[in-house]
Short mmCIF file of all heavy atoms in Angstrom, two decimals:
data_model
loop_
_atom_site.label_atom_id
_atom_site.label_comp_id
_atom_site.label_asym_id
_atom_site.label_seq_id
_atom_site.Cartn_x
_atom_site.Cartn_y
_atom_site.Cartn_z
N TYR A 736 -59.75 23.89 21.35
CA TYR A 736 -59.64 22.44 21.41
C TYR A 736 -59.22 22.00 22.82
O TYR A 736 -58.48 22.71 23.52
CB TYR A 736 -58.61 21.93 20.41
CG TYR A 736 -59.09 21.92 18.98
CD1 TYR A 736 -58.43 22.68 18.01
CD2 TYR A 736 -60.17 21.14 18.60
CE1 TYR A 736 -58.85 22.66 16.69
CE2 TYR A 736 -60.60 21.13 17.29
CZ TYR A 736 -59.95 21.89 16.34
OH TYR A 736 -60.37 21.87 15.03
N PRO A 737 -59.66 20.82 23.23
CA PRO A 737 -59.23 20.31 24.54
C PRO A 737 -57.81 19.79 24.48
O PRO A 737 -57.22 19.66 23.40
CB PRO A 737 -60.22 19.16 24.79
CG PRO A 737 -60.56 18.68 23.42
CD PRO A 737 -60.59 19.91 22.55
N SER A 738 -57.27 19.46 25.62
CA SER A 738 -55.96 18.83 25.69
C SER A 738 -56.01 17.49 24.95
O SER A 738 -56.89 16.67 25.19
CB SER A 738 -55.56 18.60 27.14
OG SER A 738 -54.48 17.69 27.24
N TRP A 739 -55.07 17.28 24.03
CA TRP A 739 -55.05 16.05 23.24
C TRP A 739 -54.90 14.81 24.12
O TRP A 739 -55.58 13.80 23.94
CB TRP A 739 -53.91 16.12 22.22
CG TRP A 739 -53.65 14.83 21.50
CD1 TRP A 739 -52.57 14.02 21.63
CD2 TRP A 739 -54.48 14.21 20.52
NE1 TRP A 739 -52.66 12.93 20.80
CE2 TRP A 739 -53.83 13.02 20.10
CE3 TRP A 739 -55.72 14.54 19.95
CZ2 TRP A 739 -54.38 12.17 19.16
CZ3 TRP A 739 -56.25 13.67 19.00
CH2 TRP A 739 -55.58 12.51 18.61
N TYR A 740 -54.03 14.88 25.12
CA TYR A 740 -53.77 13.74 25.99
C TYR A 740 -54.52 13.80 27.32
O TYR A 740 -54.31 12.94 28.17
CB TYR A 740 -52.26 13.62 26.27
CG TYR A 740 -51.45 13.25 25.06
CD1 TYR A 740 -50.68 14.21 24.41
CD2 TYR A 740 -51.46 11.96 24.55
CE1 TYR A 740 -49.93 13.88 23.29
CE2 TYR A 740 -50.71 11.62 23.43
CZ TYR A 740 -49.95 12.59 22.80
OH TYR A 740 -49.21 12.26 21.69
N SER A 741 -55.38 14.78 27.49
CA SER A 741 -56.08 14.95 28.78
C SER A 741 -55.07 14.97 29.92
O SER A 741 -55.23 14.30 30.95
CB SER A 741 -57.11 13.84 28.99
OG SER A 741 -58.03 13.76 27.93
N ASP A 742 -54.02 15.78 29.74
CA ASP A 742 -52.86 15.72 30.64
C ASP A 742 -53.21 15.88 32.11
O ASP A 742 -52.72 15.12 32.96
CB ASP A 742 -51.86 16.82 30.24
CG ASP A 742 -51.39 16.70 28.81
OD1 ASP A 742 -52.24 16.77 27.90
OD2 ASP A 742 -50.18 16.57 28.60
N GLU A 743 -54.03 16.88 32.43
CA GLU A 743 -54.34 17.13 33.84
C GLU A 743 -55.12 15.97 34.43
O GLU A 743 -54.87 15.54 35.57
CB GLU A 743 -55.13 18.44 33.98
CG GLU A 743 -55.30 18.86 35.44
CD GLU A 743 -56.00 20.20 35.58
OE1 GLU A 743 -56.32 20.83 34.54
OE2 GLU A 743 -56.25 20.61 36.74
N LEU A 744 -56.06 15.44 33.67
CA LEU A 744 -56.84 14.31 34.17
C LEU A 744 -55.97 13.07 34.31
O LEU A 744 -56.09 12.33 35.29
CB LEU A 744 -58.02 14.04 33.23
CG LEU A 744 -58.94 12.88 33.63
CD1 LEU A 744 -59.53 13.11 35.01
CD2 LEU A 744 -60.05 12.69 32.59
N VAL A 745 -55.07 12.85 33.37
CA VAL A 745 -54.15 11.72 33.47
C VAL A 745 -53.30 11.84 34.74
O VAL A 745 -53.10 10.86 35.47
CB VAL A 745 -53.25 11.64 32.22
CG1 VAL A 745 -52.05 10.71 32.46
CG2 VAL A 745 -54.06 11.15 31.03
N SER A 746 -52.82 13.04 35.01
CA SER A 746 -52.01 13.25 36.22
C SER A 746 -52.81 12.95 37.48
O SER A 746 -52.32 12.28 38.40
CB SER A 746 -51.49 14.69 36.25
OG SER A 746 -50.76 14.94 37.43
N ARG A 747 -54.05 13.41 37.53
CA ARG A 747 -54.91 13.17 38.69
C ARG A 747 -55.23 11.69 38.84
O ARG A 747 -55.24 11.15 39.95
CB ARG A 747 -56.19 13.98 38.56
CG ARG A 747 -56.97 14.12 39.86
CD ARG A 747 -56.30 15.09 40.83
NE ARG A 747 -56.07 16.38 40.21
CZ ARG A 747 -56.98 17.34 40.09
NH1 ARG A 747 -58.20 17.16 40.55
NH2 ARG A 747 -56.67 18.51 39.54
N LEU A 748 -55.50 11.02 37.73
CA LEU A 748 -55.77 9.58 37.78
C LEU A 748 -54.54 8.81 38.24
O LEU A 748 -54.65 7.84 39.01
CB LEU A 748 -56.22 9.09 36.41
CG LEU A 748 -57.67 9.36 36.01
CD1 LEU A 748 -57.87 9.10 34.52
CD2 LEU A 748 -58.62 8.51 36.83
N ALA A 749 -53.38 9.21 37.76
CA ALA A 749 -52.15 8.54 38.16
C ALA A 749 -51.96 8.61 39.67
O ALA A 749 -51.60 7.60 40.32
CB ALA A 749 -50.95 9.16 37.44
N ASP A 750 -52.20 9.78 40.26
CA ASP A 750 -52.11 9.93 41.72
C ASP A 750 -53.15 9.07 42.42
O ASP A 750 -52.85 8.41 43.43
CB ASP A 750 -52.30 11.39 42.11
CG ASP A 750 -51.13 12.27 41.71
OD1 ASP A 750 -50.04 11.71 41.46
OD2 ASP A 750 -51.30 13.50 41.65
N ARG A 751 -54.35 9.08 41.90
CA ARG A 751 -55.46 8.36 42.52
C ARG A 751 -55.24 6.84 42.47
O ARG A 751 -55.50 6.13 43.45
CB ARG A 751 -56.76 8.73 41.79
CG ARG A 751 -57.99 7.94 42.21
CD ARG A 751 -58.62 8.55 43.46
NE ARG A 751 -59.90 7.92 43.72
CZ ARG A 751 -61.07 8.37 43.26
NH1 ARG A 751 -61.11 9.47 42.52
NH2 ARG A 751 -62.19 7.75 43.55
N LEU A 752 -54.74 6.34 41.35
CA LEU A 752 -54.59 4.90 41.16
C LEU A 752 -53.23 4.38 41.58
O LEU A 752 -53.04 3.16 41.70
CB LEU A 752 -54.83 4.55 39.69
CG LEU A 752 -56.23 4.89 39.13
CD1 LEU A 752 -56.23 4.72 37.62
CD2 LEU A 752 -57.29 4.01 39.77
N GLY A 753 -52.27 5.28 41.77
CA GLY A 753 -50.93 4.85 42.13
C GLY A 753 -50.19 4.21 40.98
O GLY A 753 -49.45 3.21 41.16
N VAL A 754 -50.35 4.78 39.78
CA VAL A 754 -49.67 4.25 38.59
C VAL A 754 -48.94 5.40 37.90
O VAL A 754 -49.33 6.55 38.01
CB VAL A 754 -50.66 3.58 37.62
CG1 VAL A 754 -51.42 2.47 38.31
CG2 VAL A 754 -51.61 4.57 37.01
N PRO A 755 -47.88 5.11 37.15
CA PRO A 755 -47.19 6.17 36.40
C PRO A 755 -48.09 6.71 35.29
O PRO A 755 -48.90 5.99 34.70
CB PRO A 755 -45.96 5.45 35.83
CG PRO A 755 -45.79 4.22 36.67
CD PRO A 755 -47.18 3.81 37.06
N GLU A 756 -47.93 7.97 34.97
CA GLU A 756 -48.76 8.61 33.96
C GLU A 756 -48.71 7.93 32.59
O GLU A 756 -49.74 7.83 31.92
CB GLU A 756 -48.39 10.10 33.83
CG GLU A 756 -48.78 10.91 35.05
CD GLU A 756 -48.51 12.40 34.88
OE1 GLU A 756 -48.38 12.84 33.71
OE2 GLU A 756 -48.43 13.11 35.90
N PRO A 757 -47.56 7.43 32.13
CA PRO A 757 -47.53 6.79 30.81
C PRO A 757 -48.39 5.52 30.71
O PRO A 757 -48.59 5.00 29.61
CB PRO A 757 -46.05 6.47 30.59
CG PRO A 757 -45.32 7.44 31.47
CD PRO A 757 -46.18 7.59 32.67
N TRP A 758 -48.86 5.04 31.84
CA TRP A 758 -49.69 3.84 31.85
C TRP A 758 -51.18 4.15 31.68
O TRP A 758 -52.02 3.24 31.77
CB TRP A 758 -49.49 3.08 33.17
CG TRP A 758 -48.15 2.41 33.27
CD1 TRP A 758 -46.94 3.01 33.39
CD2 TRP A 758 -47.90 1.00 33.27
NE1 TRP A 758 -45.93 2.08 33.46
CE2 TRP A 758 -46.50 0.83 33.40
CE3 TRP A 758 -48.71 -0.12 33.20
CZ2 TRP A 758 -45.91 -0.43 33.43
CZ3 TRP A 758 -48.12 -1.38 33.23
CH2 TRP A 758 -46.74 -1.53 33.35
N ILE A 759 -51.53 5.39 31.42
CA ILE A 759 -52.94 5.78 31.36
C ILE A 759 -53.27 6.41 30.01
O ILE A 759 -52.54 7.28 29.53
CB ILE A 759 -53.29 6.77 32.49
CG1 ILE A 759 -53.07 6.11 33.87
CG2 ILE A 759 -54.74 7.24 32.37
CD1 ILE A 759 -53.26 7.06 35.03
#
Side-chain angles (χ1 to χ4, degrees):
Y736 284 120
S738 164
W739 171 250
Y740 293 105
S741 304
D742 302 60
E743 188 176 358
L744 180 58
V745 165
S746 177
R747 196 74 54 82
L748 282 167
D750 289 342
R751 173 84 171 268
L752 299 170
V754 303
E756 291 184 19
W758 289 68
I759 298 175

